[in-house]
C-alpha cells in the first residue's frame, strides 16, 4: 500500500505528458475536432486543474481561430499563470479583438517580454502605430529588454509615422543588443529609413545586412524610387537578379513601380545568355513576368497596366488590358486614370461606361480619375458636377477638386471650396493645406494662409518639407519675409524645392542680395541646384547688375551641364545684358541649341537696354524668319530699342505690323514706345494722330513720356495738354510738375515755372529722391566660381 501512491503519481504524470504530446500535435496541425476530443478526455480524467494542460487548450483553440472556446477554457481555469494570460492575449490579438486584449493586458499581475511583444505587434498590425510606440516606451521604462520581434514591430511603426528620431533610437538599441544584423530587424530598419526619406541611411542599413533577401531589395528599391534615384533602384534589381535572390511577384511589382516613375524608354537590354539584367525598362520586365509564369497574377498585371499608363503608352496598356485573364475595379481605374492624364476625357468616359456594363461598380477612385480627366482638359465645371454627385466625398476627392481649381487659376474658388470642406467637418491633410497655401499665395490672402498655418501646427505638418515650401512661398508672396524665414528654419529636411521657394520669394520681394546668399548657403549644405535654382539666382544677379556674382554662377551651370536648358540659357542672356556685357550675351545666345520666345525676347531686351537698335531690329527679323512667334513682350523690346536708337521708321513699320501680321493687339507699353520714338524725333504731328486714336488715354506713363519729349523740343502747348491729363489722373504725382517747371525754366519763363512750383507746394506734392549704389566684391562667390 505504501508504494501505491508513487505509482499512481507516476502513472498520472505519464498520462499528462502523453495528453500534452497529443495536444501539441493537434496545435501544430490545427486539428480542432481531435483537440475537442482531448479536451473532453481531460475533463473526464479530472486533469483540467493542470494549468499546463489548460494553457495548451487555450493555445489550441487560439491556433484554430476558436476565440469563444479559448475564452471559456481561460475563464474556467482554477489557476492561471503568466503563460495562461499570454496564450489568451495572443488569441485576442490574433482575432483583432484589441479592446479585450488591452483589458486583459492591463489586468495582468505579471508581464514578460512575450506579453509586451504580443500587444505591440497587434497594435502595429492594426494601424495603431502611435499607441504601439507609447507601449514600447512603457516597456523600456519597466526594464524589459526588447526582442527582435519587438524591434521589428516598433521600427515598422516609426516608418509608418515618419518618426525619424524614434526610429534611429530604436535602431541604436538594436545595434547595442546585437540584433541589427538579424534579417527581420535589419529589414525593418531599412524600411523605416526608406519610408522616412532617409535614403542614405537605408542604403547603409542594406549593406549592413549579412544576407539580404527579396524583402530587403524590394524595400530599398521603394525608398530609392521615392527619392527619385531611379537609376540606383534599377541597379538594385539587377544586383538582386545577379545574386540569385528569388524574384517573386512583389519584387516584380516593385520594379514596375520604378519603371512607372522613371519612364520606360530604351534603357538597355536583357542578355538571354547569362540572364543578367543590365538596365531594366518596363517592357522587358513585362517579358520577364511572362517568362516566370506570373502573367495570371492580378496584382502584378495591374502593376503592368499602371506602368504603361504612367508612361503614357496607352496602346500597350490597351493590349495588356485585353489579355488580362482576370480584371478588377483597379484594372478599370488604371485605364480610366491613364486616359485622363493624357487629356482624353471622352476615352476615359468610354471606359467608365464599359466598366459599368461589365458589371463593375465604380468606386471613389473611378470618380476621382474622371474628375481629374475633366480637370486636365480644363473642364472644371464638369469636374464640380462629378464631385457633387459623389455619394461619399472622400478626402482624395476634395483634394482632387481643390487641385483642379488651383491648376486652372481659380484661386478664389479654391479658398471657397476649402471653406465648404471645413463646414462639412472634413479634416484636411498635408496635400489639402499645400494646395490652399498655393492659392493664398496667388491671391495674396495672408490671413487665410495664416489660418492654414495654424491648422498645420497641431499635426506637425508645418515642419514637413512639402508643406514647408508652400508656407514659405505664401509668406513671401504676401511680403512677410520674417514669417517665411521662421518656417524655413523650422523645416527638418530642406530639399531643393524649399531652397528654391526661399530664393525666388526673396527675389520677388526685391531682396536679391539676400536671395543670392541663400543660394550660396544651399551649395554649402550640399543641396544640388536645379534649372529653376540657376534661372532664379541669375535673375537676382541681373537685377543687382552684378557680373562678379553672375560669372561664377555661369561656371557652376557649365559644370552641372545645364547650359543647354532653354530657361537657364535665357536667364544667362538676361544677366549678361543687364550687366552691360552685351557681347557675352550675344555669344552665348548664338551657342544655344534651342531658343523659345523668351530667349529671343531677352536678347532683344539686352540690345534695347544697351542702346543697340540696329542689332535689335536684326535679331527681331531673324526671330520672324526662324518661325518663332513674337508676343507683346517681343514688340515692347524691339520698339524700345528703336526708340532709344532713333530708328523711327523701322519702329513705325514694326508697330503697324503687330496687329496685321502677327495678331498682337498694341497695349499701353507699345503706344508708350512709339510715342517716345516720335517725340524724340520731334515728329509731333504723327504723334498727336496716334494719341487721338489710341484707346489707353488713362495711362499716365504715356502722358509722362509725351511731356518729357515736349520738354526736349520746347513744345509748350502739347506739354501743357500732357500735364493737364496727368493732373487729371493723379494730382499727387510729382513728375508732371517737375517736368513742366523745368521746361518753363529752360525757356526762361520763370513766372510760369514759379506758378507750377507754387501749385506743387499747395497740393503738398513731394519729389521722389533718387538713389545709386556701388557693387562690393563677394570673395566667397569668386571662390565658388
Amino acid at each position: 500500500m505504501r508504494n501505491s501512491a508513487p505509482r499512481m503519481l507516476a502513472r498520472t504524470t505519464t498520462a499528462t505528458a502523453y495528453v500534452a504530446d497529443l495536444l501539441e500535435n493537434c496545435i501544430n496541425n490545427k486539428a480542432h475536432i481531435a483537440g475537442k476530443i482531448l479536451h473532453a478526455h481531460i475533463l473526464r480524467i479530472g486533469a483540467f486543474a493542470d494549468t499546463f494542460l489548460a494553457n495548451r487548450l487555450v493555445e489550441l483553440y487560439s491556433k484554430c481561430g476558436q476565440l469563444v472556446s479559448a475564452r471559456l477554457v481561460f475563464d474556467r481555469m482554477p489557476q492561471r499563470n503568466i503563460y495562461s494570460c499570454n496564450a489568451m492575449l495572443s488569441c485576442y490579438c490574433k482575432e483583432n479583438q484589441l479592446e479585450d486584449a488591452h483589458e486583459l493586458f492591463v489586468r495582468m499581475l505579471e508581464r514578460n517580454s512575450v506579453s509586451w511583444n504580443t500587444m505591440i505587434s497587434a497594435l502595429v498590425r492594426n494601424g495603431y502605430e502611435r499607441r504601439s510606440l507609447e507601449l514600447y516606451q512603457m516597456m523600456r521604462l519597466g526594464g524589459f529588454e526588447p526582442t527582435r520581434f519587438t524591434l521589428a514591430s516598433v521600427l515598422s511603426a516609426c516608418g509608418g509615422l515618419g518618426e525619424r528620431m524614434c526610429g534611429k533610437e530604436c535602431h541604436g538599441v538594436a545595434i547595442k543588443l546585437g540584433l541589427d544584423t538579424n534579417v527581420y530587424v535589419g529589414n525593418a530598419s531599412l524600411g523605416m529609413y526608406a519610408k522616412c526619406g532617409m535614403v542614405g541611411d537605408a542604403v547603409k542599413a542594406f549593406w549592413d545586412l549579412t544576407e539580404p533577401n527579396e524583402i530587403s531589395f524590394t524595400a530599398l528599391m521603394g525608398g530609392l524610387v521615392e527619392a527619385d534615384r531611379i537609376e540606383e533602384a534599377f541597379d538594385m534589381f539587377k544586383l538582386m537578379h545577379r545574386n540569385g535572390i528569388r524574384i517573386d511577384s512583389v519584387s516584380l511589382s516593385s520594379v514596375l513601380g520604378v519603371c512607372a516613375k522613371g519612364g520606360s524608354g530604351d534603357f538597355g537590354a536583357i542578355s538571354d545568355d547569362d540572364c543578367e539584367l543590365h538596365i531594366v525598362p518596363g517592357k522587358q520586365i513585362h517579358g520577364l513576368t511572362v517568362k516566370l509564369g506570373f502573367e495570371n497574377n492580378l496584382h502584378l498585371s495591374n502593376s503592368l497596366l499602371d506602368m504603361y499608363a504612367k508612361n503614357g503608352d496607352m496602346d500597350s496598356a490597351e493590349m495588356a488590358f485585353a489579355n488580362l485573364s482576370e480584371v478588377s475595379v483597379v484594372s478599370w481605374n488604371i485605364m480610366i486614370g491613364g486616359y485622363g492624364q493624357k487629356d482624353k476625357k471622352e476615352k476615359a468616359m468610354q471606359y467608365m461606361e464599359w466598366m459599368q456594363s461589365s458589371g463593375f461598380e465604380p468606386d471613389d477612385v473611378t470618380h476621382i480619375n474622371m474628375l481629374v480627366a475633366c480637370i486636365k482638359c480644363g473642364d472644371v465645371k464638369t469636374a464640380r458636377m462629378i464631385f457633387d454627385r459623389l455619394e461619399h466625398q472622400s478626402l482624395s476627392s476634395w483634394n482632387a477638386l481643390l487641385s483642379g481649381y488651383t491648376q486652372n487659376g481659380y484661386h478664389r474658388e479654391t479658398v471657397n471650396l476649402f471653406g465648404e470642406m471645413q463646414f462639412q467637418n472634413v479634416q484636411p491633410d498635408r496635400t489639402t493645406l499645400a494646395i490652399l497655401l498655393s492659392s493664398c499665395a496667388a491671391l495674396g490672402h495672408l490671413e487665410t494662409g495664416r489660418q492654414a498655418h495654424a491648422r498645420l501646427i497641431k499635426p506637425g505638418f508645418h515642419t514637413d518639407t512639402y508643406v514647408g515650401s508652400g508656407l514659405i512661398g505664401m509668406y513671401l508672396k504676401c511680403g512677410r519675409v520674417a514669417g517665411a524665414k521662421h518656417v524655413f528654419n523650422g523645416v527638418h529636411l530642406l530639399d531643393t524645392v524649399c531652397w528654391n521657394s526661399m530664393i525666388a520669394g526673396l527675389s520677388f520681394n526685391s531682396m536679391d542680395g539676400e536671395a543670392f546668399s541663400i543660394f550660396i548657403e544651399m551649395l554649402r549644405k550640399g543641396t544640388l541646384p536645379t534649372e529653376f535654382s540657376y534661372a532664379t539666382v541669375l535673375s537676382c544677379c541681373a537685377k543687382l547688375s552684378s557680373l562678379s556674382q553672375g560669372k561664377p554662377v555661369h561656371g557652376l551651370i557649365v559644370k552641372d551641364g545645364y547650359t543647354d536648358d532653354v530657361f537657364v540659357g535665357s536667364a544667362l542672356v538676361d544677366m549678361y545684358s543687364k550687366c552691360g556685357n552685351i557681347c557675352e550675351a550675344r555669344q552665348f545666345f548664338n551657342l544655344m541649341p534651342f531658343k523659345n520666345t523668351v530667349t529671343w525676347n531677352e536678347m532683344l531686351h539686352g540690345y534695347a537696354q544697351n542702346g543697340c537698335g540696329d542689332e535689335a531690329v536684326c535679331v527681331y527679323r531673324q526671330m520672324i524668319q526662324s518661325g518663332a512667334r513674337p508676343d507683346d513682350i517681343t514688340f515692347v523690346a524691339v520698339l524700345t530699342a528703336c526708340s532709344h536708337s532713333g530708328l523711327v521708321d523701322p519702329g513705325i513699320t514694326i508697330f503697324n505690323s503687330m496687329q496685321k501680321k502677327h495678331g498682337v493687339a498694341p497695349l499701353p507699353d507699345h503706344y508708350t514706345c512709339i510715342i517716345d520714338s516720335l517725340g524724340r524725333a520731334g515728329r509731333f504731328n504723327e504723334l498727336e494722330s496716334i494719341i487721338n486714336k489710341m484707346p489707353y488715354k488713362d495711362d499716365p506713363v504715356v502722358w509722362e513720356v509725351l511731356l518729357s519729349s515736349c520738354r526736349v523740343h520746347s513744345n509748350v502747348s502739347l506739354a501743357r495738354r500732357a500735364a493737364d491729363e496727368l493732373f487729371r489722373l493723379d494730382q499727387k504725382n510729382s513728375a508732371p510738375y517737375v517736368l513742366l517747371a523745368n521746361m518753363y525754366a529752360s525757356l526762361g519763363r520763370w513766372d510760369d515755372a514759379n506758378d507750377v512750383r507754387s501749385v506743387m507746394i499747395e497740393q503738398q506734392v513731394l519729389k521722389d529722391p533718387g538713389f545709386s549704389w556701388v557693387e562690393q566684391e563677394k570673395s566667397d562667390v569668386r571662390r565658388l566660381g
Side-chain angles (χ1 to χ4, degrees):
M1 289 289 294
R2 282 197 297 267
N3 295 328
S4 63
R7 282 198 298 272
M8 285 178 64
L9 180 62
R11 282 198 302 270
T12 304
T13 304
T14 304
T16 302
Y18 178 66
V19 171
D21 288 340
L22 291 174
L23 274 173
E24 178 72 23
N25 189 51
C26 291
I27 291 168
N28 291 336
N29 293 291
K30 296 183 181 180
H32 175 228
I33 301 301
K36 289 194 81 169
I37 294 170
L38 281 173
H39 187 180
H41 177 70
I42 290 167
L43 291 171
R44 187 167 58 82
I45 65 173
F48 187 70
D50 189 307
T51 305
F52 176 74
L53 287 178
N55 288 346
R56 300 302 278 166
L57 282 170
V58 173
E59 191 177 348
L60 165 73
Y61 288 124
S62 172
K63 204 72 177 283
C64 296
Q66 300 294 317
L67 176 61
V68 175
S69 298
R71 179 63 188 263
L72 284 170
V73 172
F74 181 76
D75 288 342
R76 292 173 183 176
M77 287 176 67
Q79 282 188 315
R80 300 176 192 146
N81 56 20
I82 190 170
Y83 301 104
S84 318
C85 293
N86 282 344
M88 194 63 224
L89 186 68
S90 176
C91 186
Y92 279 137
C93 290
K94 184 183 174 186
E95 297 299 319
N96 297 325
Q97 299 289 331
L98 295 189
E99 289 186 14
D100 292 325
H102 183 260
E103 185 184 341
L104 175 60
F105 183 79
V106 169
R107 286 192 287 106
M108 287 174 68
L109 299 176
E110 182 186 359
R111 302 185 189 109
N112 60 11
S113 293
V114 175
S115 319
W116 291 97
N117 286 339
T118 302
M119 201 66 211
I120 290 169
S121 298
L123 288 168
V124 175
R125 194 168 58 249
N126 285 275
Y128 297 100
E129 289 96 345
R130 184 69 61 189
R131 181 71 185 118
S132 73
L133 294 187
E134 292 170 3
L135 214 60
Y136 171 69
Q137 294 300 330
M138 290 170 62
M139 176 186 180
R140 298 284 288 149
L141 289 171
F144 292 94
E145 194 169 88
T147 66
R148 56 184 180 145
F149 302 109
T150 321
L151 294 169
S153 295
V154 172
L155 284 164
S156 175
C158 292
L161 294 168
E163 287 282 357
R164 300 180 179 196
M165 296 309 297
C166 182
K168 291 190 83 170
E169 181 187 333
C170 188
H171 190 198
V173 171
I175 294 170
K176 183 179 177 182
L177 297 175
L179 295 171
D180 54 311
T181 55
N182 176 272
V183 69
Y184 299 107
V185 177
N187 283 342
S189 300
L190 164 58
M192 180 273 295
Y193 285 126
K195 287 178 183 175
C196 290
M198 304 166 74
V199 184
D201 291 303
V203 172
K204 188 176 183 303
F206 175 84
W207 292 116
D208 285 343
L209 291 171
T210 51
E211 292 185 12
N213 57 16
E214 64 270 19
I215 297 171
S216 320
F217 280 94
T218 303
L220 185 55
M221 277 193 289
L224 290 167
V225 170
E226 285 301 312
D228 286 328
R229 292 163 65 166
I230 306 300
E231 289 300 325
E232 291 173 71
F234 277 122
D235 289 340
M236 290 311 300
F237 187 76
K238 290 189 290 179
L239 180 63
M240 180 181 182
H241 192 272
R242 262 198 310 270
N243 289 356
I245 304 295
R246 186 176 69 91
I247 296 176
D248 57 11
S249 60
V250 177
S251 53
L252 283 170
S253 182
S254 179
V255 80
L256 281 168
V258 178
C259 297
K261 190 153 187 178
S264 61
D266 188 13
F267 291 108
I270 301 175
S271 170
D272 290 331
D273 297 331
D274 55 7
C275 293
E276 181 175 348
L277 305 179
H278 297 293
I279 301 177
V280 196
K283 285 188 176 181
Q284 292 169 327
I285 294 298
H286 189 172
L288 187 60
T289 299
V290 175
K291 183 177 179 180
L292 295 175
F294 290 118
E295 64 267 33
N296 292 326
N297 183 293
L298 181 58
H299 175 72
L300 187 54
S301 297
N302 285 336
S303 296
L304 275 167
L305 277 182
D306 186 57
M307 180 273 297
Y308 284 126
K310 290 274 175 67
N311 284 285
D313 186 0
M314 294 309 296
D315 291 337
S316 296
E318 290 258 16
M319 291 174 62
F321 184 82
N323 290 323
L324 288 179
S325 58
E326 179 187 0
V327 294
S328 65
V329 173
V330 174
S331 317
W332 291 102
N333 286 343
I334 290 168
M335 296 302 292
I336 293 166
Y339 278 116
Q341 289 297 327
K342 290 205 73 174
D343 301 345
K344 293 186 177 181
K345 182 179 69 173
E346 291 75 16
K347 192 75 175 176
M349 189 69 76
Q350 180 184 333
Y351 260 86
M352 185 173 171
E353 291 170 358
W354 186 11
M355 171 187 183
Q356 290 173 302
S357 65
S358 300
F360 290 89
E361 194 63 33
D363 60 7
D364 276 354
V365 177
T366 318
H367 290 113
I368 290 169
N369 283 347
M370 277 307 309
L371 194 151
V372 170
C374 294
I375 287 167
K376 290 281 286 183
C377 296
D379 188 0
V380 182
K381 186 177 179 181
T382 305
R384 181 60 196 254
M385 287 171 60
I386 292 171
F387 176 80
D388 289 337
R389 285 202 300 263
L390 287 176
E391 190 173 329
H392 171 64
Q393 293 169 340
S394 64
L395 180 59
S396 298
S397 62
W398 284 96
N399 286 346
L401 188 58
L402 284 165
S403 178
Y405 278 137
T406 302
Q407 288 169 19
N408 287 278
Y410 298 107
H411 300 294
R412 202 169 299 282
E413 287 79 358
T414 302
V415 175
N416 292 338
L417 184 64
F418 180 75
E420 288 181 42
M421 184 178 178
Q422 297 301 287
F423 184 75
Q424 294 191 27
N425 202 29
V426 179
Q427 292 302 313
D429 64 0
R430 60 198 286 271
T431 303
T432 319
L433 294 164
I435 294 166
L436 177 65
L437 287 168
S438 175
S439 286
C440 290
L443 292 169
H445 277 196
L446 178 63
E447 193 53 42
T448 308
R450 278 178 169 166
Q451 290 172 16
H453 190 176
R455 292 293 301 266
L456 289 161
I457 292 172
K458 188 175 180 181
F461 289 147
H462 63 297
T463 60
D464 178 86
T465 306
Y466 174 60
V467 176
S469 62
L471 279 168
I472 292 164
M474 183 276 295
Y475 278 119
L476 287 168
K477 281 285 179 70
C478 295
R480 296 298 190 269
V481 178
K485 287 181 178 177
H486 178 75
V487 174
F488 182 79
N489 294 329
V491 174
H492 289 322
L493 185 66
L494 291 168
D495 66 354
T496 310
V497 178
C498 287
W499 288 102
N500 287 347
S501 295
M502 198 68 195
I503 295 166
L506 288 169
S507 179
F508 176 79
N509 284 276
S510 302
M511 300 173 69
D512 297 288
E514 195 165 344
F516 191 85
S517 298
I518 293 288
F519 175 74
I520 299 297
E521 188 66 22
M522 172 185 176
L523 295 176
R524 285 179 179 153
K525 291 286 177 69
T527 305
L528 295 175
T530 62
E531 300 95 321
F532 182 82
S533 315
Y534 281 126
T536 307
V537 81
L538 284 170
S539 175
C540 295
C541 297
K543 286 192 278 185
L544 292 167
S545 299
S546 178
L547 196 60
S548 63
Q549 291 175 324
K551 276 202 166 186
V553 174
H554 188 178
L556 290 173
I557 289 166
V558 173
K559 180 183 173 185
D560 289 347
Y562 287 123
T563 50
D564 288 345
D565 182 84
V566 68
F567 298 105
V568 175
S570 301
L572 272 167
V573 171
D574 180 51
M575 185 274 294
Y576 279 117
S577 298
K578 285 182 178 169
C579 292
N581 196 338
I582 195 66
C583 294
E584 191 84 25
R586 182 57 190 265
Q587 185 178 349
F588 185 79
F589 176 83
N590 291 339
L591 293 172
M592 288 181 69
F594 175 74
K595 302 176 183 71
N596 62 10
T597 303
V598 175
T599 317
W600 290 99
N601 289 350
E602 294 297 359
M603 195 66 245
L604 287 168
H605 271 301
Y607 278 133
Q609 290 160 359
N610 288 274
C612 306
D614 290 322
E615 290 85 348
V617 172
C618 182
V619 168
Y620 169 75
R621 287 171 181 160
Q622 289 174 4
M623 177 184 181
I624 301 302
Q625 289 170 3
S626 73
R629 189 172 181 177
D631 58 12
D632 58 311
I633 298 170
T634 311
F635 289 108
V636 169
V638 70
L639 290 173
T640 301
C642 291
S643 174
H644 289 181
S645 300
L647 302 174
V648 184
D649 292 327
I652 291 173
T653 302
I654 292 169
F655 179 80
N656 290 334
S657 72
M658 285 179 62
Q659 183 81 55
K660 293 177 182 177
K661 289 187 177 180
H662 305 291
V664 179
L667 298 172
D669 286 343
H670 304 114
Y671 280 102
T672 301
C673 291
I674 202 66
I675 287 168
D676 182 50
S677 182
L678 290 167
R680 286 170 187 261
R683 293 162 64 166
F684 290 105
N685 290 334
E686 296 168 75
L687 189 153
E688 283 192 81
S689 175
I690 289 175
I691 284 178
N692 292 332
K693 292 177 183 176
M694 75 173 184
Y696 303 106
K697 290 186 172 61
D698 288 340
D699 188 332
V701 179
V702 172
W703 298 109
E704 283 183 17
V705 168
L706 175 59
L707 181 54
S708 180
S709 299
C710 292
R711 176 178 170 250
V712 172
H713 292 280
S714 304
N715 189 330
V716 178
S717 62
L718 196 55
R720 190 70 222 187
R721 178 188 171 186
D724 287 342
E725 291 289 346
L726 286 166
F727 295 148
R728 176 180 66 83
L729 293 169
D730 183 7
Q731 289 188 348
K732 298 295 183 181
N733 182 5
S734 64
Y737 295 97
V738 174
L739 288 169
L740 195 59
N742 289 344
M743 186 185 71
Y744 283 136
S746 66
L747 294 171
R749 295 171 59 171
W750 301 108
D751 291 340
D752 291 330
N754 289 331
D755 287 343
V756 173
R757 291 193 179 98
S758 297
V759 174
M760 192 175 178
I761 293 167
E762 285 175 19
Q763 297 289 338
Q764 296 182 340
V765 178
L766 298 176
K767 182 180 180 295
D768 294 328
F771 65 91
S772 61
W773 74 84
V774 177
E775 180 184 342
Q776 185 177 348
E777 290 288 351
K778 305 283 185 182
S779 57
D780 56 342
V781 180
R782 288 203 304 275
R783 283 199 299 272
L784 281 170

